[in-house]
Amino acid sequence: MPRLGVNIDHVATIRQARRTIEPDPIWAAALAELGGADAITFHLREDRRHIHDRDARLLKETVHVKLNFECACTKEMIDFAIELKPTDALLVPESRQEITTEGGLNVVAKQSDVRRAIERLHSAGISVSLFIDPDIAQIAAAQSAGADSVELHTGSYALAKPGPSRAEQLQIFRQACEVTVKHGLQLHAGHGLTYANVRLIAQIPEMRELNIGHSIVSRAVMVGMSQAVREMKALVVTADE
Ligand code: PXP
């Protein structure tokens, strides 16, 4: 059974919509732990559009399960990771224009940069995962760069229409999972997983961790909405008592 890593970035996205103090991703991480999260995952982006440095430091102090620090493979971020000392560093590609991490890291093209980053993180005792497309050449490159695990990008599977095209993407994904395990890498997956599509990925026998964010934060807003309104309504209707 894979671990469930809960990505809390979009709690911070809501906070940053007003640049205020709520909702606090630190509270969300604690509640996710109470709900059974096996890991808390967050992405400190170069533009600090959601998670901020303060969040990263407080998460390190308060999270009691595995802590996954997702970041670009840049000197600034690798230095930050070495100071923070999360359980895992999850290296991803990053571009300022993208709405979310769009494709996997091109480890084939950036082999020597990635290898150097992994060596630095390993010497600080941090395990390294690479977010890559379910592609055989990328998996082989991740192994030769010295990664401990890879997170295979589930976006093509998640975006495919249910039916033959989803089945085809699942088949491609499963083959990549087998190749990952044959290369001696721990198998993780994520991106675009939802309550509707997660089970076929969670069933893959060698799967060790799933990282899921947007769908869980979206569900939390919906299942919490009536309670939140009841509490505000009670304040409004009793205001002159
Ligand atoms: N894994 C990685 C590497 C990601 O960049 C993201 C998105 O932040 C996720 C998993 C979670 O994706 P989603 O928000 O679509 O569940």
Side-chain angles (χ1 to χ4, degrees):
M1 207 204 322
R3 289 185 291 270
L4 174 61
V6 176
N7 181 313
I8 54 165
D9 293 349
H10 294 311
V11 176
T13 302
I14 300 174
R15 176 189 64 190
Q16 293 316 115
R18 287 293 177 90
R19 296 190 170 78
T20 176
I21 58 166
E22 64 175 5
D24 194 324
I26 314 305
W27 293 25
L31 292 168
E33 265 194 62
L34 281 178
D38 303 298
I40 299 295
T41 305
F42 62 99
H43 184 178
L44 185 68
R45 296 185 75 103
E46 187 198 10
D47 61 11
R48 306 302 198 266
R49 71 169 72 153
H50 40 52
I51 293 290
H52 287 185
D53 299 34
R54 163 266 186 206
D55 303 325
R57 297 202 172 94
L58 286 176
L59 288 167
K60 168 65 185 177
E61 277 185 40
T62 55
V63 167
H64 301 295
V65 291
K66 185 172 184 271
L67 188 66
N68 296 329
F69 175 67
E70 183 180 331
C71 67
C73 186
T74 60
K75 183 175 180 309
E76 181 208 351
M77 283 301 158
I78 303 303
D79 288 348
F80 193 99
I82 288 171
E83 200 194 317
L84 190 72
K85 292 204 175 13
T87 327
D88 272 22
L90 170 58
L91 304 185
V92 299
E94 201 174 290
S95 97
R96 277 185 179 246
Q97 290 78 32
E98 67 192 358
I99 293 176
T100 179
T101 314
E102 275 164 4
L105 188 65
N106 190 344
V107 189
V108 173
K110 294 185 190 302
Q111 180 79 225
S112 57
D113 287 353
V114 174
R115 181 177 298 119
R116 210 169 309 120
I118 293 176
E119 283 167 4
R120 291 190 64 210
L121 290 160
H122 277 171
S123 38
I126 302 163
S127 189
V128 184
S129 187
L130 303 180
F131 182 57
I132 57 173
D133 290 332
D135 174 277
I136 290 166
Q138 296 295 344
I139 297 165
Q143 184 210 31
S144 53
D148 303 285
S149 47
V150 292
E151 180 172 313
L152 296 183
H153 197 317
T154 40
S156 302
Y157 156 78
L159 288 175
K161 263 192 165 170
S165 49
R166 168 88 49 98
E168 188 194 339
Q169 289 302 327
L170 186 61
Q171 179 65 11
I172 293 169
F173 192 82
R174 284 199 178 123
Q175 280 164 359
C177 292
E178 282 172 24
V179 173
T180 298
V181 173
K182 283 198 185 123
H183 279 75
L185 293 160
Q186 291 277 312
L187 174 64
H188 302 171
H191 215 285
L193 294 176
T194 67
Y195 294 80
N197 67 23
V198 71
R199 287 172 71 84
L200 291 174
I201 299 295
Q203 275 166 12
I204 294 172
E206 302 83 5
M207 191 58 72
R208 293 287 164 266
E209 181 172 308
L210 298 177
N211 281 304
I212 308 180
H214 187 263
S215 194
I216 293 176
V217 174
S218 305
R219 178 71 61 118
V221 170
M222 287 300 154
V223 299
M225 184 59 87
S226 57
Q227 174 73 18
V229 173
R230 263 193 300 279
E231 290 176 16
M232 184 62 83
K233 183 93 183 259
L235 291 173
V236 170
V237 301
T238 60
D240 57 3
E241 282 175 13

